[in-house]
Amino acid sequence: MIEENIFQERPIPTCGKGLGPSDDGATLGEVPALGWRLLDEDLSLPVAVLDGARIEHNLRWMQDFIDRYGVKLAPHGKTTMSPALFQRQLAAGAWGITLATAPQVQAAYRHGVRRVLMANQLVGRGNMAIVSRLLRDTGFTFYCVVDSAANVDQLGEFFAAQGQRLNVLIELGVAGGRTGVRDLSQEEAVLQALHRWPQSLALRGIEVYEGVLKEATGIRAFLRRAVGRLKALARVEAFAPGPVLLSGAGSAWFDVVAEEFCGIDLDRPLEVVLRPGCYLSHDVGIYRAAETRIHAENPVARAMQTSLLPALQVWAYVQSLPEPGLAIVGLGKRDAAFDAGLPQPASHFRPGHDTLPRPAGAWQVSTMMDQHAFLRIDPADDLAVGDMIAFDISHPCLTFDKWRQLAVLDDDYRVVELVETFF
Amino acid sequence: MIEENIFQERPIPTCGKGLGPSDDGATLGEVPALGWRLLDEDLSLPVAVLDGARIEHNLRWMQDFIDRYGVKLAPHGKTTMSPALFQRQLAAGAWGITLATAPQVQAAYRHGVRRVLMANQLVGRGNMAIVSRLLRDTGFTFYCVVDSAANVDQLGEFFAAQGQRLNVLIELGVAGGRTGVRDLSQEEAVLQALHRWPQSLALRGIEVYEGVLKEATGIRAFLRRAVGRLKALARVEAFAPGPVLLSGAGSAWFDVVAEEFCGIDLDRPLEVVLRPGCYLSHDVGIYRAAETRIHAENPVARAMQTSLLPALQVWAYVQSLPEPGLAIVGLGKRDAAFDAGLPQPASHFRPGHDTLPRPAGAWQVSTMMDQHAFLRIDPADDLAVGDMIAFDISHPCLTFDKWRQLAVLDDDYRVVELVETFF
C-alpha cells in the first residue's frame, strides 16, 4: 500500500498553472489550510478541477462493478498518471495499476505502486533498463506483453544478461487493429522464441485490447478467441507455474469483457484483470456515450442503479467579446483535449455578482488555438469579460496530460487537495 | 540577464520520459558527464530532442534578421516555455520575452526574465494577483494588452487597490479574428476607460497579432491600420510619457511585420517589438511552409542566404510489425503535435547494427493514439521491431508542451544538456 504522506510532503509547485498563492516551501499537505476557493477567484484560470465527491463515487462504482463479476481491477494509470489517485484506486481494492510505458511504470513505482501490468510491448534498451532496475526490488511484480519473436528475443537476451526473469503475456490482436498476434502462426513464432529464454522470460498469460474494435459482436468473438487460446495454451502447459493471467478491457467495453472473461474454468488458478482507466474522471463525450450503451445492455450495471459521473472540468475566463456572437475564452489546446470532441460549456459564474454557478447557455466552442477558444454565443446572451465558464470535456487522457497538477474541489468549490501528475 | 547556474543546479528528474539513467540527486549540470548517447540506447524512447547546433543557428538567424530591420525581438516564450532557452534568446540580444498567460509570466520571472510582454489580456483576480506580486520587484518590466472597457476597469480597480501601475497596450483586431478592438468606437471605449484609471494604468502603445489573417494583402492593411492608429494616438498624447511600443508578429509573418513596422517616425522614442516564437526549433510543417514564402518574398531573408533549420525531433521505437505494410510505433498524441500535420519519419536507425541513421523510407503516419502511431510502410521495407525512427514534427508549440524536459544533442547524438519546460 502507498504511504499517503509521500504526497503530502511534496512542495506546492510555485510556477505551474491553475494554482493559488502560496509561500515558497509550502507543502501539498498544507493546501486545504490555504483556503483557496474557485468562486472567490483565488486560483489562476484556466484550471483543471476534479469533483472530489464524484471521483469517490466513480472509484467505488467501478470497484463494485468489478467485484460483482468476481474479476480484478488494474485501472489504466496512463489516463491520470497521478499516483495520489493510484493510491485511492489501490485502497479501494484494485489488484494493481496498468501502465503504458516504462517511464510511466517508473513514476508509479517511485510513488509506491508495487504491482504493474504494462499493457504494451517493452522495447529498447533504455526502457528495458528502467524495468530491470525496478525488478531489483523483489517486492515489485511486473508484467508486460509480447507479440513478436523479435521482441521476445530482445527481452530474453537483455534480461538473461541481468540475471532476471521477466513476466510476459502474449498479446492477441485483430486484423486492422493495433499490436498483438493476428493468427496462430504469429503466436507460434512467439511461443518458439519464448522457448529459447526459459530462464529470463516467464509466460504468464494472455492479454487483449478490445478497444480497437467498435462493435460488440466482433469484440465478443475476439474475447472468445482469447479465452480459447488461454485454454489451449494451458492444456499444453505453455504457461509458467503459478497463477495464469487473462487481461482485457479499456474504458468503453469493460462490461462485455467482464461478461466474457468471468467464470472461466481453467483447472488452475486464473486471475482475470480488467483495465479501464477513464472511469475515475469519466467525461461527457466518448465515455458517456460508452456508458449509455453499458447501461442499456449490461444487467449488472443496471442493477447498480447509479452511473459514472463526469468529474473533470476545466474552468476559464471570458477574455474578450470582440464581436456580437463571439466570446474569446482563455482555454486552449494546451488545457483540454480537442481530439474527440471540443470542451462543452457546462456552467457560468460572474465573480463578485453570482453566489453559485448557473447553467451555461447553448454556447459552443467552434475553434481552439494553443491558448484560446472561440465560443459561439447568442448576441443577446448575458456574458461579460471576466466571467468564468466551466467546461466539461471529452477524452480525459488528453486533458489530464495538459496539467502537472489538478485541484480537487469540495461541494463549496474549495480546493481540498492538489493531485500531481507525472507524464 | 539570467544566471546560468539556476538551471545547472536543479536535479535531473527521476521519473520523466525521454531520460537516461542517473543517480538520485544528480543535477542538470552533470548531464554531459553521464555520457548518454541516443544511438547507444541510453535514453528511454520516445524522446524529444533538440539539435544543439541548429538551435544555435536559428537563434542567431532570427536575431540577425531582426537587427537588420532595426527592430527588437521578444521571442514568444509560450512555444518552448523553457527558461534555459529564454536565457539563450536574451543573451543573443532579445529585448525581452513574450508570454501568453500569467502563470507563464511567473515561470519566466522565477527563472530570471525581467522584461515581459504578455501578448494577451490579463483577466481574473487570480491572474492579476500573480502579476501584482511580480511587480513588487521594481526591476521587473511588464506589459499586457487590453481590448475592452470592461477589462480596463477590472485592471484599473485591481491595480489601484494594490497601489501599482500596470503598462498596457491597446490590442487591435480584425473582423473574424481573435481578440482586439475591431473599430474606432471600440478603441474609443477602451480609451475612455483608461482615462478613469490614470494612476493605475499606463497606456504604452499598440499591439496586433496578424497571424489570424492568412494572406499578405490583408495583413499589410491591418499592420498599416496599426501604424495609423499609433500615430493618431501619439498626436493626441494618448500614451503615457516614455517610449511608445508597437508590437506584432507571430512566427509566420514576421518578415511582413518587420517591413511594415520599421522606420516609423513618431517624433518620440518608439520601440518596435516582434514576437516570433517557433523559429528556435522551426519545423517541417506549417513553419517551413511559412519560411518558403518568406524567402521568396523578403529581400533581407534572401540576402542572409541561410534559412531556419528544423531542430526538434521525436525519436521512437518500432514496437510491433503485426501486418504487412503496418508498423506500430511507440509515439503517441502525448509525445508530438498532431493538429497541424502528423509527425513525419525522417531517419531510421537499427541499434547494434547501424553506425549512423539512414534516411527513412517513404513511410507515413496514418493515425495516432494516445501512446501509439500507425506507420504505413511498404511490406518489402527493411524495418524491424526495436528499430529507432526519428520523426520531424509540425507545430512546435504543441510538441514542446508534451515534454517536461528535452534532450539537446551534439553532432554525435550525445546528450549535452536537458532543458526543462514549465507549462
Side-chain angles (χ1 to χ4, degrees):
Chain A
M1 192 54 56
I2 303 174
E3 299 283 338
E4 176 147 10
N5 61 12
I6 67 170
F7 308 112
Q8 302 287 308
E9 289 166 10
R10 292 175 55 86
I12 297 174
T14 51
C15 53
K17 57 183 185 170
L19 294 167
S22 65
D23 293 330
D24 278 18
T27 64
L28 293 178
E30 296 171 52
V31 163
L34 295 174
W36 296 341
R37 187 164 178 267
L38 176 68
L39 301 186
D40 291 341
E41 296 197 276
D42 293 320
L43 303 178
S44 164
L45 266 55
V47 60
V49 302
L50 295 170
D51 180 317
R54 287 182 167 211
I55 290 285
E56 195 65 24
H57 165 85
N58 292 342
L59 185 73
R60 302 203 179 283
W61 191 97
M62 184 60 80
Q63 190 64 51
D64 186 11
F65 180 90
I66 291 286
D67 290 346
R68 289 178 188 224
Y69 275 98
V71 294
K72 297 191 190 305
L73 178 63
H76 210 317
K78 73 153 186 155
T79 300
T80 72
M81 276 314 292
S82 176
L85 298 177
F86 299 168
Q87 178 194 40
R88 244 154 281 186
Q89 292 171 313
L90 292 168
W95 169 90
I97 300 292
T98 298
L99 293 157
T101 68
Q104 289 179 2
V105 175
Q106 176 164 258
Y109 177 87
R110 281 191 165 261
H111 292 90
V113 175
R114 290 295 178 267
R115 182 149 51 189
V116 167
L117 195 172
M118 188 172 116
N120 228 340
Q121 286 70 19
L122 175 62
V123 178
R125 205 175 69 86
N127 291 320
M128 293 178 198
I130 289 173
V131 170
S132 172
R133 283 192 295 276
L134 303 182
L135 288 176
R136 289 180 199 157
D137 176 354
T138 56
F140 177 58
T141 304
F142 175 81
Y143 304 84
C144 64
V145 309
V146 292
D147 72 349
S148 71
N151 184 223
V152 167
D153 286 329
Q154 291 159 359
L155 291 169
E157 187 177 349
F158 182 91
F159 285 92
Q162 310 299 318
Q164 293 175 319
R165 195 165 186 221
L166 184 75
N167 296 319
V168 299
L169 312 176
I170 291 182
E171 181 170 53
L172 303 188
V174 291
R178 196 168 68 187
T179 48
V181 298
R182 303 300 201 244
D183 55 33
L184 286 176
S185 76
Q186 288 183 354
E187 181 189 301
E188 183 55 31
V190 170
L191 289 167
Q192 285 186 14
L194 286 167
H195 286 144
R196 293 193 278 275
W197 306 98
Q199 304 304 319
S200 57
L201 300 179
L203 180 61
R204 298 290 181 193
I206 284 188
E207 184 268 356
V208 297
Y209 173 54
E210 76 295 334
V212 293
L213 295 169
K214 300 299 166 207
E215 54 77 40
T217 310
I219 287 172
R220 287 190 192 273
F222 181 33
L223 297 169
R224 287 170 193 174
R225 178 182 142 217
V227 175
R229 295 313 304 150
L230 183 84
K231 290 180 173 174
L233 292 178
R235 270 196 303 275
V236 299
E237 296 189 357
F239 299 118
V244 170
L245 246 70
L246 173 65
S247 178
S251 300
W253 297 96
F254 59 84
D255 61 317
V256 173
V257 178
E259 289 172 5
E260 295 291 334
F261 281 3
C262 73
I264 296 169
D265 183 7
L266 201 64
D267 280 336
R268 62 183 285 184
L270 171 68
E271 293 189 313
V272 173
V273 178
L274 272 51
R275 312 187 309 265
C278 296
Y279 70 90
L280 198 59
S281 70
H282 202 51
D283 72 10
V284 302
I286 44 180
Y287 295 110
R288 174 181 279 173
E291 213 203 14
T292 303
R293 182 200 55 74
I294 290 168
H295 271 263
E297 297 178 2
N298 182 279
V300 170
R302 259 204 314 280
M304 288 169 65
Q305 296 192 322
T306 61
S307 305
L308 295 173
L309 300 171
L312 168 61
Q313 291 186 317
V314 182
W315 286 67
Y317 282 115
V318 175
Q319 177 174 332
S320 181
L321 292 159
E323 296 173 18
L326 173 65
I328 305 297
V329 179
L331 168 82
K333 290 179 176 178
R334 286 175 152 179
D335 306 307
F338 57 92
D339 70 321
L342 298 180
Q344 299 177 20
S347 52
H348 170 212
F349 180 79
R350 181 160 299 163
H353 181 274
D354 296 341
T355 52
L356 281 177
R358 37 190 155 139
W363 308 327
Q364 268 211 318
V365 174
S366 62
T367 309
M368 286 172 82
M369 300 174 86
D370 290 359
Q371 314 273 171
H372 301 85
F374 287 60
L375 191 67
R376 303 298 161 179
I377 62 175
D378 188 296
D381 285 334
D382 177 26
L383 203 60
V385 169
D387 284 2
M388 295 163 67
I389 299 178
F391 290 87
D392 286 328
I393 58 95
S394 179
H395 200 180
C397 303
L398 290 197
T399 302
F400 271 98
D401 70 3
K402 308 291 187 291
W403 298 87
R404 298 192 189 191
Q405 58 279 319
L406 293 90
V408 181
L409 300 185
D410 69 12
D411 290 345
D412 190 34
Y413 298 89
R414 284 180 201 280
V415 180
V416 292
E417 183 182 6
L418 284 181
V419 293
E420 292 184 287
T421 66
F422 292 85
F423 287 99
Chain B
M1 192 54 55
I2 304 173
E3 299 283 337
E4 176 148 10
N5 61 12
I6 67 173
F7 308 112
Q8 301 287 310
E9 288 166 10
R10 292 176 54 87
I12 298 173
T14 50
C15 53
K17 58 184 185 170
L19 293 168
S22 66
D23 293 331
D24 279 19
T27 64
L28 293 178
E30 297 171 52
V31 163
L34 295 174
W36 296 341
R37 186 164 178 266
L38 176 68
L39 301 187
D40 291 341
E41 296 197 275
D42 292 320
L43 303 179
S44 164
L45 267 55
V47 60
V49 302
L50 295 171
D51 180 317
R54 288 181 166 211
I55 290 285
E56 195 64 24
H57 166 85
N58 292 342
L59 185 73
R60 302 202 178 283
W61 190 97
M62 184 59 81
Q63 190 64 50
D64 186 11
F65 180 90
I66 291 285
D67 290 345
R68 288 177 187 225
Y69 275 98
V71 295
K72 296 190 191 305
L73 178 62
H76 211 319
K78 72 154 187 154
T79 300
T80 72
M81 277 313 291
S82 175
L85 298 177
F86 299 168
Q87 177 194 40
R88 245 155 281 186
Q89 292 170 314
L90 292 168
W95 169 90
I97 300 292
T98 299
L99 293 156
T101 68
Q104 289 179 2
V105 174
Q106 177 165 254
Y109 177 87
R110 281 189 165 262
H111 293 89
V113 175
R114 289 296 177 266
R115 181 149 53 189
V116 167
L117 196 173
M118 188 172 114
N120 228 341
Q121 286 71 19
L122 176 61
V123 178
R125 205 174 69 85
N127 292 320
M128 293 179 197
I130 288 173
V131 170
S132 172
R133 283 192 296 274
L134 302 183
L135 288 176
R136 288 180 201 159
D137 175 355
T138 55
F140 177 58
T141 304
F142 175 82
Y143 304 83
C144 64
V145 309
V146 292
D147 73 348
S148 71
N151 183 223
V152 166
D153 285 331
Q154 291 159 358
L155 291 169
E157 186 177 350
F158 183 92
F159 285 92
Q162 311 298 318
Q164 292 175 320
R165 194 164 187 223
L166 184 75
N167 296 319
V168 300
L169 312 176
I170 292 183
E171 181 171 53
L172 304 188
V174 291
R178 197 168 67 187
T179 49
V181 298
R182 302 301 200 244
D183 55 33
L184 286 176
S185 77
Q186 288 183 355
E187 181 190 300
E188 184 54 32
V190 170
L191 288 167
Q192 284 185 14
L194 285 166
H195 285 145
R196 292 193 280 274
W197 306 99
Q199 303 305 318
S200 57
L201 300 178
L203 180 61
R204 298 289 180 193
I206 284 188
E207 183 269 354
V208 296
Y209 172 55
E210 76 294 334
V212 292
L213 295 170
K214 301 300 167 207
E215 53 78 38
T217 311
I219 287 172
R220 287 190 191 273
F222 181 32
L223 297 170
R224 286 168 193 175
R225 178 182 142 216
V227 174
R229 294 314 302 151
L230 183 84
K231 290 181 172 173
L233 291 179
R235 270 197 303 276
V236 298
E237 296 189 358
F239 298 118
V244 171
L245 247 69
L246 173 64
S247 177
S251 300
W253 296 95
F254 59 84
D255 61 317
V256 174
V257 178
E259 289 171 5
E260 296 291 335
F261 280 4
C262 74
I264 296 169
D265 183 7
L266 202 64
D267 281 334
R268 63 182 285 185
L270 171 67
E271 292 189 314
V272 173
V273 178
L274 271 51
R275 312 187 309 265
C278 296
Y279 71 90
L280 198 58
S281 71
H282 201 51
D283 73 8
V284 301
I286 44 181
Y287 295 110
R288 174 182 279 175
E291 213 203 15
T292 302
R293 182 200 57 73
I294 291 168
H295 271 264
E297 296 178 2
N298 183 277
V300 170
R302 258 204 315 280
M304 289 168 65
Q305 297 191 321
T306 60
S307 305
L308 296 172
L309 301 171
L312 168 60
Q313 292 186 317
V314 182
W315 287 67
Y317 282 115
V318 175
Q319 176 173 332
S320 181
L321 292 160
E323 296 174 17
L326 174 65
I328 305 296
V329 179
L331 169 81
K333 289 179 175 177
R334 286 174 152 179
D335 306 307
F338 57 91
D339 70 320
L342 298 180
Q344 300 177 18
S347 52
H348 170 212
F349 179 78
R350 181 160 300 161
H353 180 274
D354 297 341
T355 52
L356 282 176
R358 37 191 156 138
W363 309 327
Q364 268 211 317
V365 174
S366 62
T367 309
M368 286 171 82
M369 301 174 84
D370 291 359
Q371 315 272 171
H372 301 84
F374 286 60
L375 190 68
R376 302 298 161 179
I377 61 175
D378 187 296
D381 285 334
D382 176 27
L383 203 60
V385 169
D387 285 1
M388 295 163 67
I389 299 177
F391 290 87
D392 286 328
I393 58 94
S394 179
H395 201 179
C397 304
L398 290 197
T399 302
F400 271 98
D401 70 1
K402 308 291 186 292
W403 298 87
R404 298 192 188 191
Q405 58 279 318
L406 293 91
V408 181
L409 300 185
D410 69 12
D411 291 344
D412 190 34
Y413 298 89
R414 284 181 201 281
V415 180
V416 292
E417 184 182 6
L418 283 181
V419 293
E420 292 183 289
T421 66
F422 292 85
F423 287 98

